[in-house]
Amino acid sequence: MWYYVVSIVLLFVSLIISSLVSYSFKKYSSVFTTNNGANTAQIILDHYRISDVKINSISGSLTDNYNPVNKTLNLSTSVFSANSISAIAVSAHECAHAIQDKQGYPFLRLRKTLVPIANFTSYGSYFAIFLGLLVDATDFITIGAILFSIIVLVNLITLPVEIDASNRALAIIEQLDLVDQPDMKGCKVVLRAAGLTYFVALASSLLTLFRLLSIANRHRRKD
């Protein structure tokens, strides 16, 4: 029963945060600046002498990311060519990940190592759990929970990576004078709102893990 109550609460929180992110991004997308997202990224990368990262434009909204594997900084269409506070903030945030990568930020390196493992174990986790429930085998459910814990670990490690990137981004924007000082507030609002989504992702994965462990424990008591 507790699982469904917490899940419903978490769903509402997730919807609120998602709405907050969209609202903040849209609000400050109408506050215009000199540089667009792509120009901002190039300025920052040049300042930090990062020449091996390619800036790409990708489809979607708020799909921006930095890929440390192939050294690409991918900006969504609403950021790449947009001259706005939102575009500057998001672009600087993704550039901060490239800077983390160059400087060997330990949590980013650890996340880079674990993500491929988590992608593999996520499939193994659900398969083991499904098989365990199908044949009523506690050991398979437990194995599924253990495999799923890798996903929880990745979400946990993601928090300091994203928080550090946002802090770096704000410092860089101010240092390079990319926006007027009064507009720094907008950058902070956009990045802080986006950062909340990672807390929700962690909470959601933790809830799922506790649920799986609860199911395994219940089956163990029946054995």
Side-chain angles (χ1 to χ4, degrees), residues 55-70:
I55 304 170
N56 296 325
S57 176
I58 59 174
S59 60
S61 178
L62 297 176
T63 51
D64 313 86
N65 66 88
Y66 169 69
N67 190 328
V69 177
N70 58 16

Side-chain angles (χ1 to χ4, degrees), residues 131-147:
L131 186 61
L133 293 173
L134 185 66
V135 301
D136 198 25
T138 304
D139 289 342
F140 281 115
I141 300 174
T142 303
I143 291 172
I146 293 172
L147 292 175

Side-chain angles (χ1 to χ4, degrees), residues 205-219:
S205 61
L206 278 171
L207 179 62
T208 300
L209 179 59
F210 288 146
R211 174 61 173 168
L212 295 176
L213 292 173
S214 176
I215 292 173
N217 187 50
R218 186 168 65 248
H219 275 257

Side-chain angles (χ1 to χ4, degrees), residues 64-186:
D64 313 86
N65 66 88
Y66 169 69
N67 190 328
V69 177
N70 58 16
K71 304 288 185 180
T72 56
L73 197 150
N74 307 297
L75 301 177
S76 61
T77 52
S78 57
V79 170
F80 188 89
S81 58
N83 297 69
S84 69
I85 295 300
S86 291
I88 298 293
V90 172
S91 180
H93 177 90
E94 299 308 331
C95 284
H97 285 311
I99 297 167
Q100 288 175 332
D101 191 20
K102 179 185 178 181
Q103 297 178 349
Y105 184 65
F107 285 112
L108 181 65
R109 292 174 63 182
L110 182 57
R111 186 180 186 279
K112 181 180 176 181
T113 301
L114 289 176
V115 164
I117 300 174
N119 290 338
F120 174 77
T121 58
S122 64
Y123 294 106
S125 170
Y126 292 120
F127 176 77
I129 293 165
F130 173 77
L131 186 61
L133 293 173
L134 185 66
V135 301
D136 198 25
T138 304
D139 289 342
F140 281 115
I141 300 174
T142 303
I143 291 172
I146 293 172
L147 292 175
F148 188 83
S149 66
I150 303 297
I151 299 173
V152 177
L153 181 59
V154 169
N155 285 335
L156 180 62
I157 294 170
T158 296
L159 279 183
V161 172
E162 296 299 332
I163 291 172
D164 179 78
S166 289
N167 290 337
R168 287 175 188 253
L170 291 172
I172 291 167
I173 292 170
E174 192 163 24
Q175 177 189 356
L176 300 184
D177 199 25
L178 295 173
V179 303
D180 295 332
Q181 194 59 37
D183 290 327
M184 282 300 299
K185 177 184 176 182

